[in-house]
Tab-separated table of all heavy atoms in Angstrom:
chain	number	residue	atom	x	y	z
A	29	ALA	N	0.528	-12.503	-4.463
A	29	ALA	CA	-0.903	-12.363	-4.417
A	29	ALA	C	-1.555	-13.562	-3.800
A	29	ALA	O	-2.509	-13.416	-3.080
A	29	ALA	CB	-1.467	-12.186	-5.885
A	30	GLN	N	-1.039	-14.773	-4.037
A	30	GLN	CA	-1.594	-15.986	-3.404
A	30	GLN	C	-1.296	-16.027	-1.836
A	30	GLN	O	-2.054	-16.603	-1.161
A	30	GLN	CB	-0.909	-17.191	-4.078
A	30	GLN	CG	-1.422	-17.472	-5.533
A	30	GLN	CD	-0.426	-18.491	-6.259
A	30	GLN	OE1	0.456	-18.977	-5.658
A	30	GLN	NE2	-0.794	-18.640	-7.462
A	31	THR	N	-0.203	-15.462	-1.432
A	31	THR	CA	0.125	-15.469	-0.081
A	31	THR	C	-0.222	-14.175	0.741
A	31	THR	O	0.067	-14.066	2.004
A	31	THR	CB	1.641	-15.599	0.194
A	31	THR	OG1	2.313	-14.533	-0.526
A	31	THR	CG2	2.125	-17.074	-0.514
A	32	ASN	N	-0.960	-13.260	0.097
A	32	ASN	CA	-1.333	-11.939	0.678
A	32	ASN	C	-0.020	-11.288	1.379
A	32	ASN	O	-0.095	-10.904	2.514
A	32	ASN	CB	-2.431	-12.205	1.629
A	32	ASN	CG	-3.745	-12.530	1.056
A	32	ASN	OD1	-3.960	-12.072	-0.043
A	32	ASN	ND2	-4.478	-13.411	1.738
A	33	ALA	N	0.917	-11.380	0.629
A	33	ALA	CA	2.293	-10.898	1.185
A	33	ALA	C	2.296	-9.435	1.697
A	33	ALA	O	3.090	-9.260	2.445
A	33	ALA	CB	3.446	-11.097	0.093
A	34	PHE	N	1.526	-8.526	1.170
A	34	PHE	CA	1.575	-7.209	1.494
A	34	PHE	C	0.398	-6.712	2.371
A	34	PHE	O	0.206	-5.488	2.634
A	34	PHE	CB	1.527	-6.380	0.216
A	34	PHE	CG	2.697	-6.756	-0.872
A	34	PHE	CD1	2.397	-7.019	-2.120
A	34	PHE	CD2	3.897	-7.072	-0.250
A	34	PHE	CE1	3.415	-7.371	-2.997
A	34	PHE	CE2	4.948	-7.475	-1.162
A	34	PHE	CZ	4.677	-7.681	-2.450
A	35	GLU	N	-0.299	-7.729	2.882
A	35	GLU	CA	-1.313	-7.356	3.867
A	35	GLU	C	-0.840	-7.192	5.273
A	35	GLU	O	0.178	-7.905	5.689
A	35	GLU	CB	-2.500	-8.407	3.876
A	35	GLU	CG	-3.125	-8.655	2.587
A	35	GLU	CD	-3.791	-7.338	1.892
A	35	GLU	OE1	-4.332	-6.498	2.548
A	35	GLU	OE2	-3.500	-7.187	0.603
A	36	PRO	N	-1.198	-6.218	6.079
A	36	PRO	CA	-0.765	-6.081	7.432
A	36	PRO	C	-0.888	-7.369	8.192
A	36	PRO	O	-1.941	-8.108	7.981
A	36	PRO	CB	-1.589	-4.870	8.006
A	36	PRO	CG	-2.044	-4.176	6.850
A	36	PRO	CD	-2.235	-5.146	5.717
A	37	SER	N	-0.019	-7.671	9.026
A	37	SER	CA	-0.058	-8.813	9.955
A	37	SER	C	-1.036	-8.695	11.081
A	37	SER	O	-1.242	-7.605	11.408
A	37	SER	CB	1.377	-9.280	10.340
A	37	SER	OG	1.359	-10.226	11.472
A	38	GLN	N	-1.522	-9.852	11.448
A	38	GLN	CA	-2.413	-9.618	12.672
A	38	GLN	C	-1.540	-9.906	13.966
A	38	GLN	O	-2.178	-9.829	15.025
A	38	GLN	CB	-3.503	-10.850	12.645
A	38	GLN	CG	-4.429	-10.805	11.418
A	38	GLN	CD	-5.194	-9.437	11.538
A	38	GLN	OE1	-5.832	-9.242	12.519
A	38	GLN	NE2	-5.326	-8.782	10.323
A	39	ASP	N	-0.283	-9.905	13.834
A	39	ASP	CA	0.567	-9.949	14.919
A	39	ASP	C	0.821	-8.569	15.425
A	39	ASP	O	1.568	-7.804	14.979
A	39	ASP	CB	1.915	-10.635	14.537
A	39	ASP	CG	2.867	-10.755	15.685
A	39	ASP	OD1	2.419	-10.231	16.919
A	39	ASP	OD2	3.948	-11.168	15.557
A	40	PHE	N	0.016	-8.153	16.435
A	40	PHE	CA	0.171	-6.741	16.945
A	40	PHE	C	1.344	-6.465	17.945
A	40	PHE	O	1.322	-5.331	18.427
A	40	PHE	CB	-1.198	-6.384	17.440
A	40	PHE	CG	-2.380	-6.387	16.482
A	40	PHE	CD1	-3.412	-7.185	16.666
A	40	PHE	CD2	-2.407	-5.481	15.450
A	40	PHE	CE1	-4.426	-7.397	15.678
A	40	PHE	CE2	-3.385	-5.473	14.432
A	40	PHE	CZ	-4.404	-6.528	14.603
A	41	SER	N	2.032	-7.493	18.058
A	41	SER	CA	3.282	-7.244	18.949
A	41	SER	C	4.412	-6.523	18.138
A	41	SER	O	5.303	-6.031	18.706
A	41	SER	CB	3.775	-8.601	19.426
A	41	SER	OG	4.255	-9.377	18.420
A	42	LYS	N	4.243	-6.512	16.829
A	42	LYS	CA	5.158	-5.906	15.978
A	42	LYS	C	5.020	-4.390	15.907
A	42	LYS	O	3.927	-3.877	16.134
A	42	LYS	CB	5.109	-6.397	14.493
A	42	LYS	CG	5.387	-7.797	14.309
A	42	LYS	CD	5.463	-8.039	12.742
A	42	LYS	CE	5.941	-9.571	12.382
A	42	LYS	NZ	5.790	-9.737	10.856
A	43	PRO	N	6.252	-3.611	15.922
A	43	PRO	CA	6.045	-2.156	15.773
A	43	PRO	C	5.285	-1.875	14.427
A	43	PRO	O	5.514	-2.540	13.422
A	43	PRO	CB	7.380	-1.650	15.781
A	43	PRO	CG	8.243	-2.848	15.327
A	43	PRO	CD	7.546	-4.068	15.765
A	44	LYS	N	4.457	-0.828	14.542
A	44	LYS	CA	3.592	-0.454	13.245
A	44	LYS	C	4.268	0.541	12.435
A	44	LYS	O	5.004	1.405	12.889
A	44	LYS	CB	2.249	0.011	13.718
A	44	LYS	CG	1.423	-0.898	14.625
A	44	LYS	CD	0.059	-0.373	14.799
A	44	LYS	CE	-0.745	-1.290	15.815
A	44	LYS	NZ	-0.220	-1.071	17.144
A	45	LYS	N	4.011	0.425	11.129
A	45	LYS	CA	4.532	1.455	10.265
A	45	LYS	C	3.467	1.790	9.147
A	45	LYS	O	2.951	0.728	8.455
A	45	LYS	CB	5.780	1.004	9.530
A	45	LYS	CG	6.452	2.119	8.559
A	45	LYS	CD	7.030	3.258	9.299
A	45	LYS	CE	8.454	2.784	10.087
A	45	LYS	NZ	9.059	3.858	10.563
A	46	TYR	N	3.061	2.912	9.186
A	46	TYR	CA	2.002	3.384	8.101
A	46	TYR	C	2.724	4.228	7.023
A	46	TYR	O	3.149	5.287	7.205
A	46	TYR	CB	0.830	4.143	8.740
A	46	TYR	CG	-0.217	4.710	7.874
A	46	TYR	CD1	-0.842	3.816	6.929
A	46	TYR	CD2	-0.739	5.938	8.027
A	46	TYR	CE1	-1.809	4.391	6.162
A	46	TYR	CE2	-1.716	6.438	7.307
A	46	TYR	CZ	-2.256	5.685	6.263
A	46	TYR	OH	-3.362	6.109	5.454
A	47	ILE	N	2.628	3.746	5.704
A	47	ILE	CA	3.301	4.444	4.630
A	47	ILE	C	2.288	4.626	3.553
A	47	ILE	O	1.686	3.860	2.809
A	47	ILE	CB	4.412	3.518	4.016
A	47	ILE	CG1	5.517	3.352	5.224
A	47	ILE	CG2	5.038	4.334	2.885
A	47	ILE	CD1	6.735	2.441	4.755
A	48	LEU	N	1.962	5.898	3.408
A	48	LEU	CA	1.019	6.460	2.407
A	48	LEU	C	1.525	7.453	1.368
A	48	LEU	O	2.129	8.487	1.797
A	48	LEU	CB	-0.214	6.978	3.044
A	48	LEU	CG	-1.360	7.567	2.304
A	48	LEU	CD1	-2.142	6.522	1.594
A	48	LEU	CD2	-2.247	8.472	3.207
A	49	SER	N	1.515	7.002	0.155
A	49	SER	CA	1.838	8.084	-0.965
A	49	SER	C	0.574	8.794	-1.444
A	49	SER	O	-0.585	8.395	-1.188
A	49	SER	CB	2.392	7.158	-2.125
A	49	SER	OG	3.605	6.633	-1.651
A	50	MET	N	0.822	9.881	-1.940
A	50	MET	CA	-0.416	10.667	-2.546
A	50	MET	C	-1.233	9.875	-3.503
A	50	MET	O	-0.652	9.207	-4.363
A	50	MET	CB	0.144	11.961	-3.204
A	50	MET	CG	-0.959	12.869	-3.829
A	50	MET	SD	-0.170	14.397	-4.440
A	50	MET	CE	0.656	13.700	-5.855
A	51	LEU	N	-2.529	9.884	-3.361
A	51	LEU	CA	-3.409	9.120	-4.199
A	51	LEU	C	-3.487	9.648	-5.597
A	51	LEU	O	-3.453	10.887	-5.756
A	51	LEU	CB	-4.739	8.958	-3.536
A	51	LEU	CG	-4.934	8.519	-2.273
A	51	LEU	CD1	-6.449	8.499	-1.783
A	51	LEU	CD2	-4.353	7.196	-1.922
A	52	PRO	N	-3.354	8.786	-6.545
A	52	PRO	CA	-3.392	9.320	-8.014
A	52	PRO	C	-4.818	9.606	-8.336
A	52	PRO	O	-5.795	9.121	-7.908
A	52	PRO	CB	-2.905	8.048	-8.777
A	52	PRO	CG	-3.374	6.848	-7.942
A	52	PRO	CD	-3.249	7.310	-6.510
A	53	TYR	N	-4.890	10.516	-9.391
A	53	TYR	CA	-6.123	10.748	-10.050
A	53	TYR	C	-6.272	9.949	-11.332
A	53	TYR	O	-5.378	10.057	-12.187
A	53	TYR	CB	-6.274	12.247	-10.406
A	53	TYR	CG	-7.804	12.609	-10.709
A	53	TYR	CD1	-8.561	13.005	-9.690
A	53	TYR	CD2	-8.232	12.253	-11.975
A	53	TYR	CE1	-9.958	13.278	-9.929
A	53	TYR	CE2	-9.594	12.524	-12.255
A	53	TYR	CZ	-10.477	13.020	-11.331
A	53	TYR	OH	-11.778	13.112	-11.481
A	54	PRO	N	-7.228	9.091	-11.371
A	54	PRO	CA	-7.355	8.153	-12.480
A	54	PRO	C	-7.917	8.803	-13.765
A	54	PRO	O	-9.077	8.507	-14.289
A	54	PRO	CB	-8.401	6.982	-11.944
A	54	PRO	CG	-9.237	7.813	-11.009
A	54	PRO	CD	-8.425	8.833	-10.477
A	55	SER	N	-7.096	9.677	-14.297
A	55	SER	CA	-7.490	10.425	-15.493
A	55	SER	C	-6.924	9.638	-16.770
A	55	SER	O	-7.087	10.121	-17.879
A	55	SER	CB	-6.906	11.845	-15.473
A	55	SER	OG	-5.556	11.786	-15.238
A	56	GLY	N	-6.145	8.559	-16.709
A	56	GLY	CA	-5.613	7.924	-17.782
A	56	GLY	C	-4.807	6.744	-17.337
A	56	GLY	O	-5.045	6.248	-16.220
A	57	GLU	N	-3.786	6.491	-18.024
A	57	GLU	CA	-2.925	5.356	-17.563
A	57	GLU	C	-1.760	5.942	-16.693
A	57	GLU	O	-1.526	7.054	-16.681
A	57	GLU	CB	-2.356	4.606	-18.868
A	57	GLU	CG	-3.405	4.015	-19.703
A	57	GLU	CD	-2.950	3.324	-20.920
A	57	GLU	OE1	-1.634	3.472	-21.286
A	57	GLU	OE2	-3.795	2.681	-21.745
A	58	VAL	N	-0.904	4.967	-16.144
A	58	VAL	CA	0.025	5.372	-15.352
A	58	VAL	C	1.254	6.001	-16.059
A	58	VAL	O	1.544	5.520	-17.224
A	58	VAL	CB	0.692	4.003	-14.516
A	58	VAL	CG1	2.014	4.372	-13.948
A	58	VAL	CG2	-0.293	3.585	-13.597
A	59	HIS	N	1.686	7.097	-15.629
A	59	HIS	CA	2.806	7.809	-16.338
A	59	HIS	C	4.025	7.771	-15.459
A	59	HIS	O	3.984	7.324	-14.223
A	59	HIS	CB	2.382	9.192	-16.708
A	59	HIS	CG	1.932	10.066	-15.708
A	59	HIS	ND1	2.664	10.554	-14.533
A	59	HIS	CD2	0.589	10.514	-15.455
A	59	HIS	CE1	1.974	11.246	-13.829
A	59	HIS	NE2	0.794	11.312	-14.233
A	60	MET	N	5.182	8.318	-15.977
A	60	MET	CA	6.443	8.185	-15.211
A	60	MET	C	6.389	8.994	-13.888
A	60	MET	O	7.065	8.577	-12.972
A	60	MET	CB	7.584	8.787	-16.102
A	60	MET	CG	7.987	7.775	-17.240
A	60	MET	SD	8.354	6.189	-16.572
A	60	MET	CE	9.716	6.367	-15.470
A	61	GLY	N	5.547	10.146	-13.830
A	61	GLY	CA	5.412	10.750	-12.587
A	61	GLY	C	4.851	9.854	-11.448
A	61	GLY	O	5.389	9.852	-10.324
A	62	HIS	N	3.885	9.128	-11.878
A	62	HIS	CA	3.503	7.988	-10.942
A	62	HIS	C	4.487	7.107	-10.534
A	62	HIS	O	4.627	6.649	-9.391
A	62	HIS	CB	2.181	7.144	-11.620
A	62	HIS	CG	0.900	8.089	-11.772
A	62	HIS	ND1	0.290	8.191	-13.020
A	62	HIS	CD2	0.349	8.851	-10.970
A	62	HIS	CE1	-0.738	8.884	-12.927
A	62	HIS	NE2	-0.736	9.298	-11.707
């Protein structure tokens, strides 16, 4: 969290990868399916 480790880099020379999972519906707490 302190190092923003999971934010995309501003180094645009790197090859890009976009990974998107299906968005959850916030109807309660996280379950094993999530």
Side-chain angles (χ1 to χ4, degrees):
Q30 290 166 1
T31 60
N32 292 325
F34 305 135
E35 302 306 318
S37 168
Q38 295 301 310
D39 182 359
F40 296 114
S41 65
K42 289 184 175 182
K44 302 184 186 74
K45 182 73 73 173
Y46 177 45
I47 298 175
L48 176 68
S49 299
M50 182 175 65
L51 303 185
Y53 195 90
S55 56
E57 297 180 356
V58 169
H59 54 68
M60 283 309 299
H62 291 127

